[in-house]
Amino acid sequence: MKSITTEKNGTATFKIFRKDPSRDSEGRYDEFEVPVEEGMSVLDGVNYIVEHIDPTLSVRWNCKAARCGSCAAEINGYPKLMCKTHISDLPSQIKLDPMGAFPLVKDLVADVSSNFDIDRRIPGFSPRKTSEKPWVMYDIDVARSQEFRKCIECFLCQDVCHVVRDHSSKYIGPRHVVKAAALDMHPMDTADRSVLLTKEKGLGLCNVTKCCQEVCPEHIAITDNAIIPEKERAADKLYDPVLSLLDKFLNRTGKQGEK
Ligand code: SF4
Ligand code: F3S
Ligand code: FES
């Protein structure tokens, strides 16, 4: 892949999806030539277009530092954060689309609000009653759920998942399994979400393709550390009577490092 600064006198061609659903029935692609400087991100290029060429182009961003997740889009067909993707790592033609798994607001802005509704329906943290103060947690328990708390809610994993795209009403999606796993693996938590995910939220539809963990900008091992353990946890609870009894006993006694 060539650096674009060595081509076409340091310009890149941005081909950007345009549609305002309140006015247009069809979408189109508009092309823009953008002068490129060293270190420019795709988001810098889009902001150049908004500032210098077409102020009607809609884009959402906040931090420019890969922290807020709001600039998520499909760059040359691949779900990425625009602020974290350097133009120099791309070919000189850059095609931008909004995340296709979600309804379109306008141009590059997708409506991800359904995720916040799903999030509210996942049972919250339910600590066991204890007089122990402060709570003592083993390092391994902290590390296990800490990984999932790095999520910046960009929803790129939801966007790339073919099951979410095909069965969004049936499968809750990888981001939300990460949230459930973070709670389920907390040693003070007494609730279980894995059975709910399996029986009502379509976890069984996930066929562990791992596309979600490939696109995660926080490098969360979504499939390996959240989805597969939640599937296994549900299988134990639903089909293994001995483990089910043991789990109830551990929850009652509050034994840590076992959850
Ligand atoms: Fe984004 Fe990763 Fe969180 Fe998914 S798990 S929403 S890809 S940060
Ligand atoms: Fe989808 Fe990830 Fe499963 S991409 S199919 S949730 S492993
Ligand atoms: Fe915040 Fe890109 S602008 S993640």
Side-chain angles (χ1 to χ4, degrees), residues 31-35 45 47-57:
E31 287 196 8
F32 305 93
E33 289 292 310
V34 174
N47 281 339
Y48 178 91
I49 295 166
V50 173
E51 282 164 31
H52 299 282
I53 308 175
D54 185 350
T56 68
L57 172 63

Side-chain angles (χ1 to χ4, degrees), residues 8 11-15 31-34 91-95:
K8 298 178 68 180
T11 64
T13 305
F14 279 63
K15 191 174 173 189
E31 287 196 8
F32 305 93
E33 289 292 310
V34 174
S92 59
Q93 285 264 352
I94 299 170
K95 184 163 162 280

Side-chain angles (χ1 to χ4, degrees), residues 151-157 175 178 216-218 220 222:
C151 174
I152 58 170
E153 299 199 316
C154 61
F155 306 118
L156 289 169
C157 56
R175 184 296 173 256
V178 165
C216 178
E218 288 297 309
I220 299 169
I222 300 172

Side-chain angles (χ1 to χ4, degrees), residues 60-77:
R60 183 194 285 134
W61 63 275
N62 275 293
C63 69
K64 274 192 175 177
R67 301 313 322 145
C68 72
S70 52
C71 69
E74 293 177 15
I75 303 174
N76 290 344

Side-chain angles (χ1 to χ4, degrees), residues 63-203:
C63 69
K64 274 192 175 177
R67 301 313 322 145
C68 72
S70 52
C71 69
E74 293 177 15
I75 303 174
N76 290 344
Y78 198 83
K80 280 173 173 280
L81 295 178
M82 288 192 281
C83 70
K84 202 182 177 185
T85 307
H86 281 102
I87 293 178
S88 57
D89 293 333
L90 299 170
S92 59
Q93 285 264 352
I94 299 170
K95 184 163 162 280
L96 293 182
D97 289 272
M99 287 194 288
F102 305 108
L104 182 67
V105 177
K106 184 173 173 287
D107 301 337
L108 295 175
V109 182
D111 177 4
V112 295
S113 59
S114 57
N115 289 289
F116 305 117
D117 298 333
I118 295 171
D119 203 52
R120 278 189 283 273
R121 292 198 290 272
I122 295 175
F125 181 50
S126 312
R128 61 183 161 78
K129 289 187 176 44
T130 174
S131 54
E132 175 193 330
K133 290 274 170 48
W135 290 347
V136 176
M137 286 173 68
Y138 296 115
D139 286 349
I140 189 174
D141 292 326
V142 175
R144 206 160 39 169
S145 62
Q146 200 66 24
E147 177 190 12
F148 305 138
R149 291 175 195 280
K150 291 190 298 178
C151 174
I152 58 170
E153 299 199 316
C154 61
F155 306 118
L156 289 169
C157 56
Q158 297 284 117
D159 186 50
V160 82
C161 176
H162 66 105
V163 185
V164 171
R165 290 212 180 208
D166 293 346
H167 308 280
S168 62
S169 58
K170 295 197 183 125
Y171 176 42
I172 193 169
R175 184 296 173 256
H176 305 290
V177 181
V178 165
K179 163 87 184 281
L183 292 164
D184 278 344
M185 292 182 196
H186 193 293
M188 298 301 286
D189 184 79
T190 56
D192 170 71
R193 296 146 193 91
S194 65
V195 172
L196 175 81
L197 291 182
T198 303
K199 282 186 159 177
E200 295 177 31
K201 308 291 182 190
L203 181 58

Side-chain angles (χ1 to χ4, degrees), residues 214-254:
E214 269 176 38
V215 303
C216 178
E218 288 297 309
H219 307 294
I220 299 169
I222 300 172
T223 320
D224 295 336
N225 293 348
I227 291 176
I228 292 173
E230 284 297 275
K231 280 175 177 273
E232 289 174 349
R233 179 186 291 262
D236 286 348
K237 287 186 181 293
L238 288 168
Y239 308 116
D240 188 325
V242 178
L243 282 175
S244 170
L245 275 174
L246 182 65
D247 184 69
K248 278 187 189 139
F249 171 75
L250 288 173
N251 272 338
R252 217 174 26 243
T253 57

